[in-house]
């Protein structure tokens, strides 16, 4: 497959989405099949492109095609240009590969939903937008994809819109994302102002020459965008609510792909972050804080999906941290992004499978001892569990270990935070495993846990295998480092102690986390969440007071502002408008009276008019 | 003795046959010829054949004339024909082709018989007393006045001649040739005949009054220049130093006559009454075609003959333009009849056109690049005329027992009854308001640009403010159609025949195409160049 055809990657799911969404009920019967075939076709294209790339040298693997000129205004010209290189092909494979598995899984998961066809239409829309996002060669086109995935995310979080909580969650996600999007649009406008273009090549070439202030500002704007899309502190609050969406959505969009777009953006903009230490440091701090906050939130949630969502935030925090470290971390940010895509999608789909068997109950306090009843789900979930903990030889071990190493090499405090995060991760994931699959059964009599159909467990098995084998990308001769180096660059980091010692320390911390969880959760777990809890638990349960903070700092002042503006609008603007309307209306009513209907008065008005014309002519001449 | 007398009275030896450029004047001759044949057909053909024959004859005549005009345009003909009486130049040819196309559409609308139960919009017997037994019998027998088609041909022929007249006397004759048929057509409505006849009477009286002003103005200019040819007057302006009183008075009176036809304030008072009373297809024809012919005639006289004294008349025209825009858009605010509202809207549009006219953006007056006033006006007229006919065609479709339901209150909730009709009408209204991506926007852009480059920026400011006011009454109708409840006794929406459908479709197409890709027509207008002398 020629790289000239890379537009097909985006076009296939886009066309499929259009057919499904515009075709209406006529496509109900086969909509889910078309919807699944589209990402599979894109995946096949992606694989072909990937293997074709293997045959080329490192520098030649990057290919750009110009599809068409989008618009040209004055000196600003924006072309829709696609770029496929070592970085974007990995994303293409992740998005279409994991995406296809999740589509297949959804056939089973959504089998009883009357609006399944529409669901697949939205999923295809998401795939198309996400591919456009990672294939675009111009920040403005990235923005189009960025908004597209935001739209798809909104539509899918609120897919069960009859539930008030889902509708509210969708709205919240949309609003919070909008805050981040302001960052990206400001960045694009600044790029036009600074470089006259927002194409990657122009920006990368021009950024060397800008002042450090502008470099930092650009970096911070892009970081704001990344925070919104990737649910990083301080824009993290939407992700937990986003779990109201169907579980495949949580797996695909809110775990594996869309939420990692922020990491992609930072890595893709490495040229900008290379000229600004301040913005890079901000990225590291945001990543570290989120890694800890997410992990803390994950500890206190009884809702299995929210616990996983906290975990997602935390893991993306790790990626962000790595991305902020510069060339030492870019490769590992992407590496962890890929392995996280595998094991987190795996666990989300596993959680979906559990819910499927438990009448859609998400409260882990109502689970317990499910390992016996859902053997495949349990086994595959365990693979994901071991991967996220970073137990060798699972995929997460290689990727996370490298990030912690790089963090220590950069700064001791950051390194310690990353290490602590790994320990907390071990704690809450063990807690989740124990509450769900072990211990006494705590469900009601009318619940009959059962294994999910093959169409759902099949993807689980594939993802479990990837959770185990994904590490091969690194340990097979550091393949991913060599692969990405031409695009993002790489430099070896030198941790204060040897890599082996680092690994052992990390594993020890993880073991401590596991042990604490086992000690705490081996005993009986009450069906109802205890009310009398320590302030620390309350702190974690209330999402680290993220919502309270937003309400106090943003929502209430915002409400006061809008109230004031409404008052001004009613009194001032409306008064002016209505007054003007009354003035013209009155004038019109008076002028209208000249139209008497009598020819004699019309003729008289013409005589006056003629007199006026002649007088005006004379007046001009005489003046 | 008698032989001497004979040679004195008829100097045959000196007589030279006038040179007539038949080739260049062929479109005019074809239209007038078809009109004469139509009169004969009216006399000799049996009644049941007349309708088909007249429609076919009119359409064939118009299409042949249009083809001949296109051929002339391809050759890029520019000459003064018929011994200096008629100038066949770019603007004239552009006007001809526009008029002919619009008249084809109008003839189709005149021929429409499906919206009123197999009857046309015209009275069966104009002479029958309204409400009388004779009228009822005529209606039952389905008699109708097929004379409207030859009359239309005469009218359009007169308009073409008017737009290309290079001599004030020819211009006056042409004015009467197109006015008299229009007076008649106005009085021929089948429904609400009294108001129709009243409109015809008013139009005739005021038209005659305006003609008198024009004729007096012509006489005064002749007194000043000693010639009636536009070029001759221009030469006299350049050389003569005396007789300015006659020049100014003549200019003023000619302006009155022409501004009357344009529908400019304060000579506009006939417009709403006549537009309301005339049969709606005729209103559409007048609103589109008369406006075009009158404007081109106005510009020809004031640019070609009186261009040399433009600093005398421009200030007066500024005031007229401002008055026209302001009065047109403000009085339209309180109109309750859709036809009257469109009439005031056409007055406001005349004002917008006048801005380009008095902007005097001309190749000769220092404007080297950009759009000239002539081109802008030509383009605007096209942008305005097609949607106008389409809008009036839609008005014919909203009917109740008494004929067309033109009171605006009857249009409430129409969007629920007929979303298609209301949607298209709303689109036309948005076009008139000048919303981007419609013809109204590009047209306004053209005239405002011309006015601005010519230095008339205060006019452009007033025009933009008036557009704002005008937008209100256009949008008000849209709100009325779409956001009001449909009353129980709402009027019906007649199913149009192919004729009305074609008229509406062409108006719609023009509004979209000229709004989105105005390039080709703008290029055509700029190819038309300037008036020759």
């Amino acid at each position: 497959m020629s790289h000239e055809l890379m537009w097909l990657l985006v076009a296939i799911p886009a066309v499929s989405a259009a057919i499904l969404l515009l075709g209406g009920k006529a496509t109900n019967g086969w909509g889910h099949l078309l919807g699944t075939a589209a990402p599979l076709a894109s995946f096949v294209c992606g694989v072909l492109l990937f293997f074709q790339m293997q045959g080329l040298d490192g520098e030649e693997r990057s290919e750009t095609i110009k599809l068409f000129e989008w618009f040209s205004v004055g000196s600003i010209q924006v072309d829709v240009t696609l770029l496929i290189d070592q970085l974007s092909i990995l994303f293409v494979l992740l998005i279409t590969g994991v995406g296809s598995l999740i589509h297949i899984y959804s056939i089973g998961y959504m089998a009883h939903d009357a609006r399944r066809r529409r669901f697949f239409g939205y999923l295809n829309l998401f795939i198309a937008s996400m591919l456009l996002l990672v294939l675009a060669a111009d920040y403005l086109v990235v923005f189009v994809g960025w908004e597209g995935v935001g739209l798809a995310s909104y539509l899918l979080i609120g897919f069960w819109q009859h539930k008030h909580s889902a509708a509210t969650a969708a709205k919240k996600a949309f609003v919070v994302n909008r805050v981040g999007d302001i960052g990206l649009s400001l960045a694009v406008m600044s790029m036009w102002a600074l470089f006259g273009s927002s194409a990657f090549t122009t920006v990368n070439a021009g950024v060397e020459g800008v002042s450090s202030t502008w470099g930092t500002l650009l970096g911070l704007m892009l970081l704001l965008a990344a925070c919104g899309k990737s649910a990083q502190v301080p824009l993290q609050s939407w992700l937990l609510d986003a779990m109201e969406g169907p579980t495949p959505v949580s797996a695909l969009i809110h775990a594996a792909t869309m939420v990692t777009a922020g990491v992609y953006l930072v890595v893709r903009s490495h040229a900008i972050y290379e000229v600004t230490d301040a913005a890079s440091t901000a990225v590291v701090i945001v990543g570290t804080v989120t890694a800890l906050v997410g992990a803390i939130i994950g500890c206190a949630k009884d809702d299995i999906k929210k616990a996983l969502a906290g975990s997602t935030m935390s893991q993306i925090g790790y990626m962000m941290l790595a991305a902020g470290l510069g060339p030492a971390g870019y490769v590992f940010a992407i590496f962890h992004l890929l392995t996280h895509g595998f094991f987190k999608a795996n666990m989300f789909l596993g959680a979906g499978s559990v819910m499927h068997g438990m009448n859609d109950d998400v409260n882990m306090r109502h689970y317990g001892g499910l390992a016996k009843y859902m053997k495949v789900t349990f086994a595959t979930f365990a693979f994901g569990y071991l991967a996220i903990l970073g137990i060798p030889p699972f995929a997460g071990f290689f990727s996370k270990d490298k990030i912690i190493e790089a963090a220590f090499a950069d700064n001791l405090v950051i390194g310690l935070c990353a290490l602590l995060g790994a320990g907390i991760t071990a704690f809450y994931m063990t807690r989740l495993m124990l509450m769900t699959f072990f211990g006494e059964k705590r469900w009601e009599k009318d619940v009959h846990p059962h294994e999910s159909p093959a169409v759902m467990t099949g993807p689980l098995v594939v993802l479990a295998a990837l959770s185990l084998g994904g590490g091969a990308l690194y340990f097979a001769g550091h393949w991913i480092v060599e692969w990405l180096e031409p695009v993002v660059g790489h430099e070896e980091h030198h941790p204060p102690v040897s890599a082996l010692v680092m690994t052992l320390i990390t594993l020890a911390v993880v073991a401590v986390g596991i042990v604490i969880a086992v000690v705490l959760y081996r005993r009986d777990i009450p069906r109802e969440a205890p009310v009398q809890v320590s302030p620390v638990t309350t702190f974690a349960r209330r999402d680290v007071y993220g919502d309270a903070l937003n309400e106090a700092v943003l929502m209430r002042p915002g409400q006061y502002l809008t109230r004031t503006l409404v008052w001004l609008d009613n009194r001032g603007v409306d008064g002016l408008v209505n007054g003007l309307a009354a003035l013209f209306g009155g004038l019109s009513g008076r002028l209208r009276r000249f139209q008497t209907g009598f020819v004699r008065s019309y003729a008289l008005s013409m005589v006056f008019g003629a007199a006026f014309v002649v007088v005006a002519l004379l007046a001009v001449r005489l003046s | 003795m008698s032989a001497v007398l004979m040679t004195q009275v008829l100097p045959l030896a000196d007589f030279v046959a006038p040179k007539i450029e038949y080739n260049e004047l062929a479109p005019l001759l074809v239209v007038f010829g078809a009109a004469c044949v139509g009169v004969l057909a009216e006399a000799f053909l049996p009644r049941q054949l007349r309708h088909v024959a007249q429609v076919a004859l009119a359409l064939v005549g118009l299409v042949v004339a249009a083809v001949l005009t296109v051929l002339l345009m391809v050759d890029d003909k520019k000459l003064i024909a018929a011994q200096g009486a008629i100038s066949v130049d770019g603007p004239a040819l552009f006007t001809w082709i526009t008029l002919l196309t619009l008249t084809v559409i109008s003839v189709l609308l005149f021929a429409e018989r499906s919206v009123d139960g197999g009857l046309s919009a015209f009275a069966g017997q104009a002479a029958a007393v309204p409400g009388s037994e004779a009228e009822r019998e005529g209606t039952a027998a389905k008699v109708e006045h097929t004379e409207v088609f030859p009359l239309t041909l005469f009218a359009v022929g007169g308009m073409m001649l008017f737009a290309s007249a290079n001599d004030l006397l020819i211009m006056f004759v042409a004015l009467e040739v197109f006015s008299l048929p229009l007076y008649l057509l106005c009085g021929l409505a089948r429904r609400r005949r009294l108001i129709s006849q009243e409109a015809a009477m008013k139009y005739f009286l005021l038209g005659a009054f305006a003609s008198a002003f024009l004729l007096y103005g012509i006489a005064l200019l002749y007194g000043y220049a000693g010639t009636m040819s536009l070029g001759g007057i221009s030469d006299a302006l350049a050389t003569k130093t005396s007789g300015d009183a006659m020049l100014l008075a003549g200019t003023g009176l000619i302006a009155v006559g022409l501004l009357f036809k344009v529908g400019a304030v304060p000579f506009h008072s006939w417009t709403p009454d006549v537009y309301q009373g005339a049969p709606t297809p005729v209103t559409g024809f007048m609103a589109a075609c008369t406006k075009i012919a009158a404007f081109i005639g106005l510009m020809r006289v004031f640019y070609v003959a009186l261009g040399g004294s433009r600093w005398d008349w421009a200030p007066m025209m500024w005031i007229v333009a401002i008055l026209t825009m302001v009065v047109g858009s403000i009085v339209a605010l309180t109109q309750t009849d859709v036809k009257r509202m469109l009439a005031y809207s056409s007055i406001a549009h005349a004002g917008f056109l006048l801005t380009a006219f008095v902007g005097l953006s001309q190749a000769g007056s220092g404007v080297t690049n950009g759009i000239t006033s002539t081109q802008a006006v030509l383009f605007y007229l096209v942008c305005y005329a097609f949607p106008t006919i389409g809008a009036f065609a839609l008005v014919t479709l909203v009917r109740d027992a008494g004929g067309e339901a033109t009171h605006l209150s009857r249009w409430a909730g129409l969007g629920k009854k007929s979303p298609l009709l209301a949607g298209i009408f709303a689109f036309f209204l948005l076009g008139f308001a000048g919303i981007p991506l419609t013809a109204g926007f590009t047209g306004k852009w053209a005239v405002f640009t011309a006015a601005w480059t010519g230095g008339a920026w205060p006019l452009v400011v007033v025009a933009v403010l008036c557009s704002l006011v005008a937008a209100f009454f256009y949008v008000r109708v849209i709100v009325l159609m779409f956001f009001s409840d449909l009353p129980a006794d709402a009027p019906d929406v007649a199913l149009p025949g192919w004729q009305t459908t074609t008229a509406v479709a062409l108006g719609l197409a023009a509004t979209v195409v000229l709004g989105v890709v105005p390039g080709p027509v703008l290029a055509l207008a700029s190819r038309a160049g300037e008036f020759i002398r």
Side-chain angles (χ1 to χ4, degrees), chain B residues 176-208:
Chain B
E176 294 304 318
V177 168
F178 83 74
S179 294
L180 289 168
L182 284 179
Y183 302 148
L184 278 174
L185 286 170
C186 284
L188 286 180
R190 177 180 291 278
R191 308 295 194 115
R192 298 163 87 191
R193 289 186 57 203
L194 285 176
I195 187 179
S196 167
Q197 290 173 355
E198 181 186 328
M201 194 65 195
K202 281 180 181 167
Y203 194 18
F204 170 69
L205 286 173
L206 294 171

Side-chain angles (χ1 to χ4, degrees), chain A residues 584-585 587-589 591-592 595 597 599 602-603 605-607 609-610 612-614 616-618 620-621, chain B residues 202 206 209 213 244 248 252 256 266-267 269 272-273 311-313 315-316 319 330-331 333-334 340 344:
Chain A
F584 279 105
L587 205 58
S588 179
L591 282 175
R592 214 181 146 187
Q595 198 72 18
V599 178
Y602 294 176
S605 74
M606 282 176 64
V607 172
F612 150 74
V613 164
V614 174
L617 283 169
L618 289 173
V620 170
R621 175 56 70 94
Chain B
K202 281 180 181 167
L206 294 171
F209 196 47
F213 278 104
D244 277 3
L248 291 178
V256 171
F267 313 106
S269 39
D273 292 16
W311 305 123
D312 285 333
W313 52 259
M316 177 271 286
I319 300 173
I330 288 187
V331 181
L333 288 174
T334 44
R340 285 184 85 86
Y344 279 104

